[in-house]
Amino acid sequence: MSLRILHVLDHSLPLHSGYSFRTLAILREQRALGWQTVHLTTPKQGFGTSLQEEVDGWIFHRTPNAGGNGLLSQMRLTAARLREVVLMMKPDLIHAHSPVLNALPSLWVGRRQRLPVVYEMRASWEDAAVDHGTTQEGSLRYRVSRSLESLALRHADQVTTICEGLRGDIAIRGVPPERITVIPNAVDVSLFRLDTEPDAELRRSLGLNGATVVGFAGSFYGYEGLDLLIEAARQMLPRYPQLRVLLVGGGPQESNLRAQAVAAGLQERVIFTGRVPHADVQRYYQLIDVLAYPRLPIRLTELVTPLKPLEAMAQGRMLVASDVGGHRELIRHGQTGFLFRAGDAAALAGALDDVLVRRPFWPKLREQARRFVEVERTWASSVARYREVYRRALARHDRSPSI
């Protein structure tokens, strides 16, 4: 019998997010390895009474949610539904993905059903709460959240995470190194092409003909530092009168960014596309000369590696990024992208200027960036690391199904 893994997820398709796309990549590659995957989402998927949903050929077990549930109530609902799915599907192990609201119910059910539990921490719950504005670093809620996260990490049979920054954070919580494995973010390079001609009609419709375009594609959160990009563009205008900023996506900071563009007199030069279908994002990428990732220096960005720069490298796009820890772990300065001092609009303007004057070297840089993801950041190579993680988790329970 092949290995059967029950994944416990915060949310999944049809909701679109970096979380959902990473999950889908993991599931595809695990199926390619011959493993069976079962998928359960928690009340965070949203309101509903359905017990099961099929999306794009994937079956997701759902946790009914009538709304109005506090965190403890959500965990109880997750645990009850998880027990039902375990008894029905009889998995070999439970693989709980962030946040800790998924890990604790998985540990409760896993211990009662004598199943190994792997916990994948994609970001720390307490730091995510700071970013969302629901707490402050060092507050009582922050300390309680961190204690619960640490408890789950110490009790899981194995822990996985997405980058070295988070590995270090997990280790200082008392988790032995042999129980921590990095499963890095990656890309499916087959979905991205090099040297595709930009969509001329889309370029014309956005008013970008003859323009030098810098831009960003993603969610407009405060920590992304997009206000620095608009300020950098203002500083660059004397040297680049045809400069345009293309912002693809949307999010909490959109109204503030629009107001900033107006106040700076850049309302005609900063173009907001709104959210676009995920399948169309590459068409917008191709219109941007230099992508910018000006993330601000906070705990979350110092510890966590983002996915967007990898997608840019897969397309051979020129990119500049702030020198926060998550970017330094991904980007090789001068080879696959360029780093600048985080939080400094003038440094960002200088980095953009530096890349724009290097156009003769762009073909070589594009090839190097693409080669990096082809060799080091494919989902097949990342997901293959789960084999040893699962073997170790099962061994702690004296189990050894075919892996």
Side-chain angles (χ1 to χ4, degrees), residues 16-28:
H16 281 192
S17 68
Y19 187 103
S20 294
F21 298 139
R22 175 180 168 92
T23 297
L24 190 59
I26 290 169
L27 300 182
R28 284 173 176 158

Side-chain angles (χ1 to χ4, degrees), residues 29 57 111 127 134 150-151 180 202 238 262 315 339 351 375:
E29 292 299 332
R111 294 301 176 259
D127 289 328
T134 55
S150 299
L151 179 72
I180 310 170
L202 181 60
V262 171
Q315 298 170 76
L339 298 170
V375 173

Side-chain angles (χ1 to χ4, degrees), residues 32-272:
L33 289 170
W35 300 340
Q36 300 177 52
T37 61
V38 182
H39 330 108
L40 170 67
T41 56
T42 72
K44 296 292 287 296
Q45 180 70 22
F47 301 132
T49 58
S50 174
L51 294 177
Q52 189 170 294
E53 181 180 8
E54 181 175 349
V55 186
D56 296 341
W58 297 93
I59 301 296
F60 293 97
H61 297 275
R62 303 299 192 198
T63 302
N65 178 15
N69 298 304
L71 298 181
L72 184 57
S73 178
Q74 287 182 39
M75 288 193 286
R76 286 173 175 160
L77 289 170
T78 298
R81 181 65 179 136
L82 176 56
R83 182 177 182 276
E84 293 175 355
V85 175
V86 165
L87 294 175
M88 177 172 54
M89 303 303 297
K90 300 186 179 347
D92 294 302
L93 59 82
I94 298 172
H95 183 155
H97 301 253
S98 285
V100 71
L101 297 179
N102 302 344
L104 292 175
S106 296
L107 288 166
W108 300 339
V109 174
R111 294 301 176 259
R112 291 190 179 98
Q113 301 300 320
R114 298 182 179 179
L115 287 173
V117 175
V118 173
Y119 178 32
E120 179 160 310
M121 193 176 97
R122 302 186 184 184
S124 67
W125 188 38
E126 67 271 16
D127 289 328
V130 170
D131 173 60
H132 295 152
T134 55
T135 191
Q136 293 181 329
E137 188 171 339
S139 69
L140 176 60
R141 175 173 175 176
Y142 183 93
R143 296 195 304 274
V144 170
S145 299
R146 186 170 179 83
S147 295
L148 290 174
E149 189 82 75
S150 299
L151 179 72
L153 290 164
R154 287 195 295 266
H155 283 80
D157 292 293
Q158 287 285 305
V159 174
T160 67
T161 190
I162 65 171
C163 59
E164 293 297 333
L166 284 174
R167 184 213 287 269
D169 188 56
I170 292 167
I172 64 175
R173 298 171 190 246
V175 181
E178 64 273 15
R179 281 173 46 203
I180 310 170
T181 302
V182 174
I183 313 287
N185 272 329
V187 291
D188 182 348
V189 292
S190 68
L191 299 178
F192 300 99
R193 296 177 58 188
L194 283 172
D195 300 324
T196 303
E197 284 297 315
D199 185 324
E201 176 55 30
L202 181 60
R203 186 200 296 274
R204 184 201 61 76
S205 69
L206 293 171
L208 298 177
N209 282 341
T212 297
V213 184
V214 299
F216 171 89
S219 296
F220 301 170
Y221 293 117
Y223 63 80
E224 295 292 3
L226 297 179
D227 57 318
L228 297 179
L229 178 57
I230 293 175
E231 170 56 21
R234 187 191 67 78
Q235 295 179 19
M236 294 173 66
L237 272 179
R239 300 188 302 282
Y240 297 93
Q242 296 303 313
L243 186 69
R244 298 291 184 274
V245 178
L246 182 63
L247 298 179
V248 183
Q253 291 297 311
E254 183 169 348
S255 60
N256 290 341
L257 295 170
R258 287 181 179 273
Q260 179 188 358
V262 171
L266 300 177
Q267 59 267 37
E268 301 300 321
R269 297 177 182 274
V270 181
I271 300 156
F272 293 84

Side-chain angles (χ1 to χ4, degrees), residues 344-364:
D344 187 331
L348 171 54
L352 289 167
D353 193 26
D354 191 35
V355 174
L356 288 169
V357 300
R358 292 182 186 228
R359 282 183 185 267
F361 299 98
W362 285 14
K364 180 182 179 181

Side-chain angles (χ1 to χ4, degrees), residues 288-314:
I288 299 171
D289 293 299
V290 185
L291 283 153
Y293 301 101
R295 286 191 154 194
L296 301 177
I298 61 173
R299 259 184 64 84
L300 185 144
T301 59
E302 293 291 351
L303 294 178
V304 179
T305 53
L307 188 57
K308 294 298 182 185
L310 287 176
E311 293 181 347
M313 291 182 212

